[in-house]
Amino acid sequence: VLNTYKTSYEKNFKQEVSTFGGHVWDAVLLIAEAVKISGSAEPAAIRDGLEKAKNIFGTAGEFNLSADDHNGLTDEAFVMVKITNGDWQMIK
């Protein structure tokens, strides 16, 4: 998913990707899935569809939303990193 997004973005916009564009990509994927699930683009139908969206793979991870979980990502989707000598290091 990340490589497809990166390649497509850089080809179309002639610049490197950013995290912010990835968030928009994920949002559009989720809205499209919600409309598909609900069969409507009305706001309430989109909300209801989002709450049923499962196994949606975006740039931030795998989204599984519900009425109780509007984030849809597990803790494993979030890591703390620091950059040391120009390289990423995970903070545990």
Side-chain angles (χ1 to χ4, degrees), residues 9-29:
Y9 183 95
E10 291 176 353
K11 178 182 175 187
N12 286 302
F13 297 106
K14 311 293 187 243
Q15 61 184 357
E16 290 187 24
V17 297
S18 76
T19 300
F20 303 107
H23 297 313
V24 174
W25 176 276
D26 292 351
V28 171
L29 286 175

Side-chain angles (χ1 to χ4, degrees), residues 37-69:
I37 289 169
S38 70
S40 172
E42 293 296 319
I46 291 172
R47 181 207 55 228
D48 293 345
L50 281 171
E51 291 180 346
K52 296 174 185 160
K54 304 288 183 222
N55 304 315
I56 308 302
F57 292 91
T59 64
E62 179 184 358
F63 292 90
N64 290 290
L65 291 97
S66 70
D68 296 323
D69 182 3

Side-chain angles (χ1 to χ4, degrees), residues 70-85:
H70 287 178
N71 181 18
L73 297 170
T74 63
D75 289 343
E76 288 79 24
F78 304 96
V79 296
M80 293 294 294
V81 297
K82 68 178 180 175
I83 299 174
T84 305
N85 298 323

